[in-house]
Every structure is written in structure tokens, then in C-alpha cells.
Amino acid sequence: MAGRADPWADVDFEEVQDATCLEVDDIKVLFNCFQLFDVKKQDYLLADDIDEVMRAMGFRPSAEELAELIDEIDEDGSGAIEFGEFAQLCAKFLVEDPDPETMRAELKTAFRLFDKAGTGFITMVQFREILAEVDPNLSEEDLDGIIS
């Protein structure tokens, strides 16, 4: 519709996705929830109110769990939880860790990609190359420290 403001204009989807691993549709839902709870339209929620907000959304963290999460995500320590921080908090409950069997199967599949000879082993040289590929910022000394 012409003339209508973009409701997502203030959301940096790429930044939120990088921080949370959530899909764009999930981020949109969280943004709508955030706006509903931000009744004063201040663009933040108070850390003191987060427990009530989380429970209203169906999440049931313990007081200790919530305090740890808020300390972790309230990057500037202001006690004001902006949308990006709110999305990170919610992602802790939305993004599920795979079960051990799924994780084991995925690791085996990934290992087979590097075990080109099919021996069930990779050499230290291959392992070093994998680490360097995963994090190109690792120095030779860092790689030596990891491998030794």
C-alpha cells in the first residue's frame, strides 16, 4: 500500500539473525511482541519487567537463569533491553539444541568430508587446515596451542 510506513524499518534483520540464528519470520513475530510490551513506546523494556514479559510469552526461566541471561544480553548494562537484546534473550528459548543422536550423526557426516582416505582418521595437518579454515584469524601460535 502506498504511503504506508514500513513496520520493519527499524529492524536490522541481518544483525539480529547473526546474533540469534532466528529466521526473519521469527524476528518479525518477536518484534511485534516487543512492541506490544513496550507500552510507553520507549524502544526498550526494563530488565525488571523481563520476567513478566517472558512468562507472558510462555517461557519459564528460573530467577537465576533469567538474571544470568539479562547480565549476558544487556551489553551496555543499562537495564534497558532494546529489541536486539530482547531477540537474543528469546532466542535462548526458541533455538533448540539438537538431540545427542542428531548431533552425533551430523558430526560423523562432517568428519567423513575430511576423511578423504576413508580410514576413520584425519592427520594433524588436515586438522590444522580445518581449524585455520574455521577461524582464519588464528595465528600459527594459536593453532599450535590448540593442537598440542
Side-chain angles (χ1 to χ4, degrees):
M1 290 190 196
R4 199 158 202 208
D6 179 4
W8 317 115
D10 295 333
V11 179
D12 184 341
F13 288 102
E14 189 174 317
E15 181 180 316
V16 175
Q17 279 185 305
D18 287 346
T20 64
C21 298
L22 293 172
E23 298 296 325
V24 170
D25 288 342
D26 295 327
I27 296 168
K28 287 179 178 180
V29 169
L30 288 179
F31 186 70
N32 286 335
C33 290
F34 181 84
Q35 289 184 313
L36 287 173
F37 291 113
D38 181 18
V39 292
K40 295 180 184 175
K41 303 302 176 211
Q42 303 174 98
D43 293 329
Y44 66 85
L45 302 173
L46 294 174
D48 293 341
D49 299 330
I50 293 295
D51 182 49
E52 185 178 327
V53 170
M54 297 302 286
R55 292 189 186 292
M57 293 177 65
F59 304 129
R60 304 281 184 256
S62 69
E64 297 80 26
E65 215 178 4
L66 189 61
E68 280 180 31
L69 289 170
I70 289 172
D71 284 345
E72 183 182 323
I73 60 129
D74 186 14
E75 295 168 358
D76 56 10
S78 66
I81 308 298
E82 292 88 12
F83 174 68
E85 295 169 329
F86 176 76
Q88 288 179 48
L89 180 66
C90 293
K92 302 279 185 184
F93 299 95
L94 295 172
V95 177
E96 295 180 27
D97 291 329
D99 63 88
E101 277 304 308
T102 302
M103 180 75 85
R104 199 174 349 265
E106 287 177 6
L107 287 172
K108 281 183 180 181
T109 301
F111 185 83
R112 284 187 195 113
L113 293 174
F114 297 104
D115 179 20
K116 295 184 185 347
T119 61
F121 299 95
I122 58 173
T123 67
M124 280 300 187
V125 172
Q126 288 172 306
F127 185 58
R128 185 182 197 89
E129 289 171 356
I130 293 165
L131 290 174
E133 200 173 303
V134 168
D135 187 350
N137 296 322
L138 289 172
S139 67
E140 292 298 317
E141 294 79 31
D142 294 333
L143 291 169
D144 290 341
I146 292 169
I147 293 172
S148 61

